[in-house]
Amino acid sequence: MTDNANEGHSGYEIQGILDNIDGYLAANHPDAVLLHIGINDLNNNDNDHAAAATRAETLIDRIFTDQPNVTVMMQGLIPTTAGIPANPALQALITDYNNQLRAWAPSEVQAGKHFTFVDAPALTSAQFADGLHPNDAGYSQLAQAFYTPLDQAFTNGWVVGGPPTPYETPASSRPARVAAGDFNGDGKLDLVGIDANSNMQFYPGNGAGSVSGPGTAMLGTTGLWANFKAVASGDFNSDGKTDVAGIDANNNLMLYTGDGAGHLTGGTNMMPGTSGLWAGFKAITAGDFTGTGHLGIAGIDANNNLKFYPGDGAGHVGGGTDMLGSTGLWAGFHAVMAGDFTGTGHLGIAGIDANNNLKFYPGDGTGHASGGTQMLPGNGLWAGF
């Protein structure tokens, strides 16, 4: 749609919103926040379903901490949701989730907070695009459910309005969740990516610049990849087959090994003994930055520095060390990619910087980078990439 000024995030669980809510509120200064969240927490098998409503409460309290006078409206989950794949237990989980939040709402109001819980309508099968997502007719029903309580909030004086925050189309706030590599052993580059249902899909390449589809699931269809922050591909365990590494919802770098036929297994923590180390990373890329024959990971960390984590050729990484100082040089970068762009045999880094220019930082073959210089003359050409 033309105006994308909303906070809808495909595949996100509640924790994904909580991880970013401070920035969302600071950037937009809303008078009212409308929430419809939690179904991914209940539909996915990688989560604590019983604690989903508590996670929602934590998010709502965080919103009020950041903006005490904001109005928050939480619409419960659609009671007729079947799930993807169909899950007979889902409707009971939804009922428990809605009941907990409905019972909790009065305590927020008693504490002086402008909070309302809104019951979601029971949609028919004709109002779902699949077992999880409504179609346009279904979303229309959800929007109408917000109307009466939102109107009441204006009547109560909860929403008084103010100067609007000028809206500019934002650069992508989430690192790329696609990767390229030869995943089926035919000598041609393929594409893999996390789809709207949080599954990793495989699209084989034809060696002539095209890929075929529809994609095929590489590791089931259970939404395993929900809230992954970024992914990179390469042969991390030296078996001659392309794997996928990614930062998961718990901010760990996980390895999913390829079988050479377009499928993955795993995952395992690439830095055993660590937990949450990769929180705040903006982007990652894989490459042999030291000439050892083992793939490592380079990434922009929470302090906006480019870090290098060398690989051991057995699916693990160590480190990390600064590749180009520790001054926050990489603040605002949208994406990074590794490659031998100069034919020296040393991998460098290309990335879109805060001014929307494509910059090149050559590598020295020992895990460091220098530069950068513009790869394509002109200013701001990469805006929106």
Side-chain angles (χ1 to χ4, degrees), residues 267-341:
T268 57
N269 194 332
M270 296 184 72
M271 297 188 75
T274 65
S275 180
L277 180 68
W278 298 79
F281 267 69
K282 316 295 192 303
I284 61 172
T285 186
D288 178 9
F289 295 95
T290 54
T292 62
H294 300 156
L295 293 188
I297 294 287
I300 302 173
D301 71 6
N303 297 314
N304 298 307
N305 298 315
L306 187 68
K307 294 283 192 177
F308 170 56
Y309 297 81
D312 65 357
H316 309 107
V317 296
T321 57
D322 290 315
M323 296 186 74
L324 186 58
S326 56
T327 60
L329 175 70
W330 300 81
F333 267 70
H334 307 166
V336 292
M337 179 63 66
D340 180 7
F341 297 97

Side-chain angles (χ1 to χ4, degrees), residues 199-225:
N199 299 312
M200 182 66 77
Q201 299 284 342
F202 167 59
Y203 297 84
N206 67 358
S210 300
V211 297
S212 59
T216 57
M218 301 185 76
L219 187 58
T221 57
T222 61
L224 174 70
W225 301 82

Side-chain angles (χ1 to χ4, degrees), residues 88-97:
L90 185 59
Q91 292 190 10
L93 293 173
I94 290 172
T95 297
D96 291 344
Y97 177 88

Side-chain angles (χ1 to χ4, degrees), residues 9 26 29 60 82 99 106-107 116 123-124 127 144 149 157 166 195 204 238 249 262 267 273 299 307 309 337 364 371:
H9 296 276
H29 310 292
I60 293 164
N99 286 345
S107 66
T116 301
L123 302 183
T124 68
Q127 293 171 322
Q144 291 177 37
D195 70 8
S238 305
K307 294 283 192 177
Y309 297 81
M337 179 63 66
D364 65 357

Side-chain angles (χ1 to χ4, degrees), residues 47-68:
N47 218 323
D48 181 359
H49 299 148
T54 302
R55 289 192 290 274
E57 293 169 4
T58 300
L59 169 62
I60 293 164
D61 282 338
R62 181 67 163 271
I63 293 171
F64 284 122
T65 297
D66 285 357
Q67 241 179 275

